[in-house]
């Protein structure tokens, strides 16, 4: 199963993923993990917004609801969009195969 990531330099990458891993772990442990730094500097603990991403609209509605901590962090972003999420809060599922994600510059 694969997802398509557009990195902070606007390059697109196809990345394999494992069901159950977080989206942040999937990106960080991929071949682009080093190139997108800073990313997930809180170690996937929802205490920063460096894993901020824009999720393809057709997949966004199927994600679990945003929790209070994530909502707070996204509200402090100047780059928030209607379909913004923190990658550390999204667990990968089979239904996400082919999903497109744009990683935002956001510290």
């Amino acid at each position: 199963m694969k997802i398509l990531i557009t990195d902070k330099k606007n390059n697109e990458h196809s990345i394999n993923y494992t069901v159950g891993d977080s989206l942040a772990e999937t990106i960080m442990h991929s071949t682009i993990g080093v190139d997108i730094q800073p990313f997930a500097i809180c170690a996937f603990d929802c205490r920063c917004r460096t894993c901020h991403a824009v999720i393809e609209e057709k997949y966004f509605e199927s994600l679990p609801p945003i929790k209070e901590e994530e909502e707070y962090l996204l509200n402090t972003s100047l780059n928030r969009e209607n379909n913004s999420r923190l990658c550390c809060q999204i667990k990968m599922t089979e239904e996400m195969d082919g999903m497109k994600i744009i990683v935002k510059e956001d510290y």
Side-chain angles (χ1 to χ4, degrees):
M1 288 178 268
K2 294 182 182 251
I3 53 175
L4 298 171
I5 305 286
T6 301
D7 66 23
K8 296 174 183 181
K9 296 176 184 168
N10 212 30
N11 298 313
E12 193 170 271
H13 309 270
S14 178
I15 297 174
N16 293 320
Y17 72 88
T18 302
V19 171
D21 285 352
S22 74
L23 177 54
E25 291 170 310
T26 299
I27 294 170
M28 191 66 156
H29 299 300
S30 74
T31 56
I32 68 167
V34 173
D35 296 331
I36 61 167
Q37 294 303 317
F39 182 82
I41 62 173
C42 69
F44 318 120
D45 198 29
C46 198
R47 290 185 288 149
C48 71
R49 62 176 187 270
T50 58
C51 69
H52 177 193
V54 175
I55 308 299
E56 185 178 4
E57 198 69 43
K58 70 179 184 178
Y59 294 93
F60 185 80
E61 296 301 322
S62 65
L63 297 176
I66 295 176
K67 294 180 182 172
E68 185 177 343
E69 298 86 2
E70 181 181 5
E71 183 72 34
Y72 172 78
L73 289 168
L74 288 170
N75 281 339
T76 63
S77 172
L78 298 176
N79 299 312
R80 184 174 189 176
E81 297 183 27
N82 289 336
N83 51 333
S84 287
R85 290 295 302 262
L86 298 181
C87 294
C88 65
Q89 298 302 294
I90 299 171
K91 293 289 182 199
M92 302 305 294
T93 66
E94 290 179 9
E95 295 75 29
M96 293 175 181
D97 190 30
M99 179 171 67
K100 294 180 181 177
I101 300 120
I102 300 170
V103 177
K104 301 295 282 185
E105 192 76 58
D106 203 351
Y107 349 101

